Every structure is written in structure tokens, then in C-alpha cells.
Amino acid sequence: MTDRPLQLGARTEFPASPEDAVLDRVPNPHPDADYVARFTCPEFTSLCPVTGQPDFAHLVIDYVPDRHLVESKSLKLYLASFRNHGAFHEDCTIAVGKKLVDLLAPRFLRIAGYWYPRGGIPIDVFWQTGTPPAGVWLPDTGVAPYRGRG
């Protein structure tokens, strides 16, 4: 693991799987401040592990960094690596959250996965590492619950 981005500024192919993807981190320029960094991925895709059909989700990742930030290009490539990966909604959502926690050791992280309906049922998956630091403004994820054609 290095604090020097390996992919930033270089032509990088999309990884074939989450296992092949490399997440880079960079030093946090403000480790003395508690603040929320948010990444939103409204076009996350993976495959159903049973049928091989595509699944689509809107992911919202909020974290309070400690010593490191995730480098955004590597995060984009990591999330795209799920495109041909077969896993259930819960597994994909929690795996992304845990991978970021392992990389960053943030003060707090939460991930919300709003999955589009499959078989008529939307599945929303939420996970967080604990409680956010006192005084941190943690906004709503901004994603409305599924309402059908309503």
C-alpha cells in the first residue's frame, strides 16, 4: 500500500473484477478537521450471481477521513470493476464499504445502496462503521425511496 497514486495521470484499463482492482489513497491535507467526503455513483452495475442478468444501483458513500483520502479515479475504476462481477446486492454494497474501511481507516464511513427492482422488489442496503464524530454534519443521502411509476 502506498500513499502515492498509482493510476492518476496514467491511462488505465478497467479492472476485470473487484479482486483485480487497485484502490489508491492520498494523504488527507486536513487531518485536524472532521468533515464528510461524499461519493455518489448513480450508475453502479453488477451481475446477478444466479441468472447473470445486470443489476443496477445508486450508491452513496459518505466518510469522515482520518489520515487518508481515497483517490477518486481509483474509486471509479474499482466501482466499474463490479460490472462483470456476480454477487447479490447486499454483498456488493458491504464489500465496497469494507474495502474502503480497510484502505482508509476512516473515523466514520457509511454506504447506502439503492438497488433498482429485480423481480418487482427493490432492495436498499445500508451499512456504517459506527456513529459519526460529534459535530459532523451528515446530510441525508438525497435518494428518494422507490416509488414505482408514481
Side-chain angles (χ1 to χ4, degrees):
M1 188 176 313
T2 175
D3 288 344
R4 186 175 55 86
L6 303 174
Q7 302 169 92
L8 188 61
R11 183 182 169 104
T12 310
E13 299 296 323
F14 282 103
S17 71
E19 294 79 24
D20 295 335
V22 175
L23 272 172
D24 291 333
R25 68 183 190 183
V26 296
N28 179 2
H30 299 282
D32 60 324
D34 284 336
Y35 62 95
V36 174
R38 171 172 286 175
F39 288 94
T40 304
C41 181
E43 298 177 348
F44 183 84
T45 346
S46 66
L47 298 176
C48 173
V50 177
T51 66
Q53 294 294 310
D55 287 320
F56 304 92
H58 184 142
L59 299 183
V60 179
I61 302 164
D62 292 319
Y63 74 102
V64 177
D66 192 10
R67 295 179 45 223
H68 298 97
L69 307 173
V70 66
E71 192 282 309
S72 61
K73 178 181 179 182
S74 74
L75 179 62
K76 177 182 78 169
L77 292 168
Y78 172 65
L79 294 176
S81 75
F82 281 83
R83 182 175 296 161
N84 295 313
H85 178 71
F88 291 112
H89 302 131
E90 296 87 346
D91 185 22
C92 291
T93 306
I94 304 307
V96 169
K98 286 183 173 183
K99 179 89 170 190
L100 288 168
V101 168
D102 288 345
L103 175 75
L104 304 173
R107 295 176 187 152
F108 172 81
L109 181 137
R110 77 172 179 187
I111 183 168
Y114 297 91
W115 292 83
Y116 292 89
R118 172 171 274 282
I121 301 173
I123 298 174
D124 296 337
V125 181
F126 307 99
W127 182 76
Q128 67 184 39
T129 58
T131 57
V136 168
W137 176 51
L138 191 60
D140 182 79
T141 61
V143 181
Y146 185 74
R147 294 179 24 135
R149 296 182 132 194

